[in-house]
Amino acid sequence: KNEVEQSPQNLTAQEGEFITINCSYSVGISALHWLQQHPGGGIVSLFMLSSGKKKHGRLIATINIQEKHSSLHITASHPRDSAVYICAAKIQGAQKLVFGQGTRLTINP
Amino acid sequence: DVKVTQSSRYLVKRTGEKVFLECVQDMDHENMFWYRQDPGLGLRLIYFSYDVKMKEKGDIPEGYSVSREKKERFSLILESASTNQTSMYLCASSLAGYNQPQHFGDGTRLSIL
């Protein structure tokens, strides 16, 4: 079993829908990252959080430390949100990240 | 803004060749990382470096080596390329210290024929 699990692996939705991507982890972490990867490869860091909730535009990330679970939400989704979304756990006491397998999101117009 | 630059977006090499992938960052970051990304497996850490001339093995170091002679540059070396090293390679950098975000390059898609 992977230390970081994401669901769903693939998600297709219509423009305007509310999107939720989930991330569960089984290790002790100091922070959790949400990353976005567009076709072509480049990865952009969206959020890094260790508690509570963060919001940036239409994106919201939450984390529940007790339940070892994080969610990424996208409100009023748009085709330009189509990308692979990756959660990555920063292991306590280490520099390394452990990555989920990614969620491929497709938003149709 | 932090800029992490990988020398090539696409690279095609032959089995047995020695291959160098270069990564340069412009923000004086202490930490630098090399990952490979494969379908169904996600990103996996090959090596990282926390200072000049310092390196540590990641989860899949076999078949790779690294070099960090200057703080801004981290090189990944495939000593004798094999077809199972065909992959997307991503470099990242971060400041030292607790919970610093990693900044990624655009990736190099390497094909070994």
Side-chain angles (χ1 to χ4, degrees), chain B:
Chain B
D1 259 3
V2 178
K3 184 71 175 172
V4 179
T5 302
Q6 293 184 229
S7 52
S8 305
R9 290 300 306 274
Y10 302 93
L11 202 55
V12 179
K13 297 290 182 180
R14 296 210 172 271
T15 304
E17 281 192 68
K18 190 169 186 175
V19 181
F20 292 86
L21 302 183
E22 306 285 349
C23 176
V24 176
Q25 49 93 6
D26 66 356
M27 283 301 290
D28 205 36
H29 284 175
E30 290 82 8
N31 297 332
M32 296 189 75
F33 307 82
W34 274 109
Y35 299 94
R36 65 177 282 178
Q37 184 180 31
D38 301 287
L41 297 176
L43 280 96
R44 293 177 292 167
L45 180 65
I46 305 171
Y47 268 98
F48 71 98
S49 168
Y50 50 89
D51 202 351
V52 175
K53 297 191 187 295
M54 306 301 288
K55 62 185 179 185
E56 283 200 23
K57 292 180 180 180
D59 299 317
I60 50 163
E62 298 78 18
Y64 302 95
S65 61
V66 289
S67 172
R68 193 162 181 206
E69 296 297 319
K70 294 185 178 182
K71 192 174 184 180
E72 67 270 18
R73 185 180 296 270
F74 192 35
S75 302
L76 179 70
I77 303 154
L78 286 65
E79 296 289 344
S80 177
S82 64
T83 54
N84 64 11
Q85 292 178 309
T86 291
S87 186
M88 169 71 94
Y89 290 87
L90 287 140
C91 174
S93 72
S94 75
L95 289 167
Y98 216 53
N99 286 342
Q100 295 294 332
Q102 291 187 20
H103 301 266
F104 288 82
D106 287 337
T108 296
R109 192 167 292 281
L110 175 65
S111 297
I112 307 296
L113 304 179

Side-chain angles (χ1 to χ4, degrees), chain A residues 11-20 58 73-79 81 105-109:
Chain A
L11 179 57
T12 300
Q14 291 300 121
E15 184 173 356
E17 286 189 41
F18 181 81
I19 302 299
T20 296
R58 295 180 294 106
H73 305 285
I74 305 175
T75 62
S77 60
H78 190 276
D81 297 325
L105 174 65
T106 303
I107 304 296
N108 292 320

